[in-house]
Each structure stands twice: as structure tokens, then as C-alpha cells.
Amino acid sequence: MSGLEHRNNIKTLIDNKTEFNSDDVQLCIYDTYQQAQQIPFHAQEPMFCAMFSGKKIMHHKSLTSGKDFIPGQSFIIGAGEQVKIDFPEANLKTPTSCLTLEIDHRKINQIAETMNLQEVATETRLKPTFQLNHNAPTQSLYRRLISAFSENQDDRALFINLGITELIVRMLRDQNARKILQQAVTDPCKTGLHAVVDYIKSNVTQPMDIESLCKIACMGRSKLYGEFKKHLACTPQAYILQQRLAWAAQQIKNGGHITQISYECGFSDPSHFSRRFKQHFSISPKQYQLSK
């Protein structure tokens, strides 16, 4: 993480903080150097959190048990919410590190209004979300923000604003997609899009073609593509791939054999599956397996 060399100034072994401030945003890097349990953490404004190294176990009243977080994963803590965190692997040589971005809710609302996603923004502001689509582009965005915050260039504020805007747009799209997925489970007949999303989710390992999806949605090809682009920010094929990779990750977590899983979710080449998996989750299937 270039520009953050003074992170080596260790003041505390648990949640050692390096802090940067800008208009409407505070960026922090937290490094923990020893194992610890049930460390409280509070957010005044909506807070994006991205793991960079090590492992955390998050505890919140909405969770029945602790939830693991590893590099390549993100979560949001709602305004005014508190979580408790375990650090099961942290040590002086390999600290557990994460990035946080606390963003003024008015900025989120402003962007949500432009995207016509005010309801999604309100839900995000008020409650924690314990899983985000943290892919390679998002990981790159976090690193660009770190670089922008740590530099003293004249256009620093502009780069920070551009990066934060992109992050909020990605978050709102991701939250809206999750909302549609949840609605598809409870009410698959709500719209043609919900019916297709439910079908993909329920038949994720089966062959699919666009013509069949059009029939399920009662839409023409261009209309179906338009609905996916508008509400899920991707094509139907990209969404199918996302769901297959999510299914594969769950199977790996449950102890399945990586090569067999790659075939079951439609890949004829395990190497191709591995590349796609790493593009989506920022770590390889083997690394994901070892982390679990």
C-alpha cells in the first residue's frame, strides 16, 4: 500500500489506526498484531470495510453466529451500529489489516437520488450488510483511494471524490441486485426479471440459453438485456457466471473437491474456472479453500 509507510508506527497491538481525512470522508487503515476476541467497533456514519490481510470474525445482533471475513471480501456497518470482532490469526509478523471508509450519508443520498435508488441507500445507511461483491475492480478502487488519500497533490480532493463516487455507485448497484435476489426468492412472480433471477438461482448448475430465459421472463432479447443492465448492472450471461461462482465458493467452503466443482458448475477446463474465480473473489479457489 504505497504512501502508507508510517503505518509501521505501532501505538497499540489491536486496531492500530492510520487515519486520513477529506471532505465528507474519513479513510483509516487498521492493523492488529495479536489475537483478540470480542473487540467492539462503532460507526457513526455508514462505513465501508475491506479486508486486506488476515482474518476477522464479525459478531452482530443480526447474525446467529460469527461471520468470517478474509482478503477479497467487504462489508458495510450501518450508521450508529456496533459490531464485535475476533482476530484469530493476528501476530506481529502477519497482522490482520483492513481499510475503512466512513462516508457522510448525505453524499450517499445525493448519488442514490441520481441513480433513483433512494430506498436502497436508506436501507444501507440504517443497517449492516455483511457481504459485498468485492471483485478485482473494487479491490483496485480501494488501492487507488489509499494512494489518493496519502498523496499531497493539488488535485488530491478531485481524485478522492471520483473514487468515493465510484465506490458508492458500485455499492448501490450491488445492494439493489441483492434486494432483487431476495425478492425473487419470496415472490418470483413479481416481474419477469424476478422470475428469471429465481430460475437462475434455482438451476445454477444446469445449462442455460438466452432464448429459454426470454420465455421465462416473457420478454424479447433486447428487453431482457435492458432489464438486467438497469437493475443488476450486467448481462444475463455475466449474472449466470456470478451465481455459478457463488455456488462454487459455497461448495468449496463445504469441503468439495475444486476440480469436480468446476465441472459441476459448467466449466470444461478447471484452469479457466480458477482464473474466473480469482477475477471474481480476488483469491484463487485453493486460497479460498485454505482460508476456510
Side-chain angles (χ1 to χ4, degrees):
M1 300 180 186
S2 62
L4 298 181
E5 291 80 4
H6 50 295
R7 285 171 64 203
N8 294 327
N9 181 21
I10 302 175
K11 298 177 181 179
T12 177
L13 295 179
I14 299 175
D15 278 344
N16 188 68
K17 182 168 74 170
T18 303
E19 180 180 313
F20 298 88
N21 293 285
S22 183
D23 294 341
D24 305 322
V25 184
Q26 181 184 74
L27 180 149
C28 297
I29 303 292
Y30 288 93
D31 299 301
T32 295
Y33 299 91
Q34 71 176 31
Q35 295 182 14
Q37 292 78 40
Q38 298 288 309
I39 304 301
F41 194 85
H42 179 265
Q44 294 182 334
E45 292 283 359
M47 181 179 287
F48 296 80
C49 306
M51 290 293 294
F52 276 110
S53 66
K55 176 181 177 180
K56 287 184 177 183
I57 302 175
M58 308 294 297
H59 301 274
H60 183 262
K61 59 187 178 183
S62 65
L63 301 172
T64 56
S65 61
K67 185 169 182 61
D68 293 356
F69 275 92
I70 58 175
Q73 295 182 333
S74 305
F75 56 94
I76 297 173
I77 301 177
E81 287 285 347
Q82 178 171 295
V83 297
K84 292 185 178 180
I85 308 172
D86 299 343
F87 301 88
E89 301 174 354
N91 59 70
L92 284 171
K93 290 186 178 180
T94 55
T96 295
S97 301
C98 79
L99 169 152
T100 66
L101 283 165
E102 195 165 11
I103 304 175
D104 191 315
H105 70 273
R106 290 171 294 186
K107 186 172 184 66
I108 297 175
N109 290 341
Q110 180 184 21
I111 295 172
E113 185 174 353
T114 302
M115 299 175 67
N116 197 28
L117 292 175
Q118 296 94 326
E119 183 178 347
V120 174
T122 299
E123 292 175 355
T124 299
R125 182 171 66 85
L126 294 177
K127 65 181 182 181
T129 302
F130 289 97
Q131 188 174 356
L132 287 178
N133 184 12
H134 189 177
N135 50 25
T138 309
Q139 184 84 350
S140 176
L141 175 57
Y142 283 129
R143 294 189 181 279
R144 295 204 314 269
L145 280 167
I146 291 173
S147 178
F149 267 94
S150 57
E151 292 178 356
N152 292 314
Q153 303 295 331
D154 292 339
D155 49 8
R156 171 179 180 266
L158 176 60
F159 281 118
I160 290 173
N161 185 59
L162 288 172
I164 292 299
T165 299
E166 181 182 346
L167 180 63
I168 293 172
V169 167
R170 289 179 178 275
M171 179 273 294
L172 290 172
R173 284 178 175 174
D174 188 62
Q175 296 294 79
N176 190 50
R178 291 181 184 280
K179 183 176 181 179
I180 289 175
L181 181 58
Q182 292 169 354
Q183 291 174 339
V185 173
T186 57
D187 187 10
C189 297
K190 183 173 183 177
T191 68
L193 178 63
H194 287 81
V196 169
V197 167
D198 179 63
Y199 177 82
I200 292 172
K201 182 74 173 179
S202 302
N203 299 274
V204 69
T205 62
Q206 302 302 313
M208 298 183 197
D209 58 73
I210 296 300
E211 287 70 25
S212 297
L213 298 182
C214 287
K215 291 179 181 179
I216 293 169
C218 298
M219 297 179 189
R221 189 183 183 94
S222 60
K223 175 67 173 177
L224 181 66
Y225 273 79
E227 288 295 292
F228 267 84
K229 187 68 174 177
K230 178 181 177 181
H231 295 286
L232 302 177
C234 65
T235 65
Q237 293 93 331
Y239 188 75
I240 291 169
L241 176 61
Q242 292 171 16
Q243 293 304 307
R244 285 177 173 167
L245 291 174
W247 177 87
Q250 185 61 48
Q251 302 311 305
I252 293 172
K253 181 178 179 180
N254 293 340
H257 191 275
I258 292 174
T259 299
Q260 182 63 33
I261 290 169
S262 71
Y263 291 133
E264 289 178 2
C265 64
F267 288 85
S268 59
D269 181 1
S271 296
H272 183 212
F273 166 74
S274 183
R275 289 193 300 272
R276 288 290 196 172
F277 191 98
K278 188 171 184 178
Q279 287 173 359
H280 188 71
F281 292 105
S282 299
I283 57 175
S284 70
K286 188 64 176 178
Q287 290 171 322
Y288 187 87
Q289 185 181 59
L290 292 173
S291 71
K292 297 300 180 181

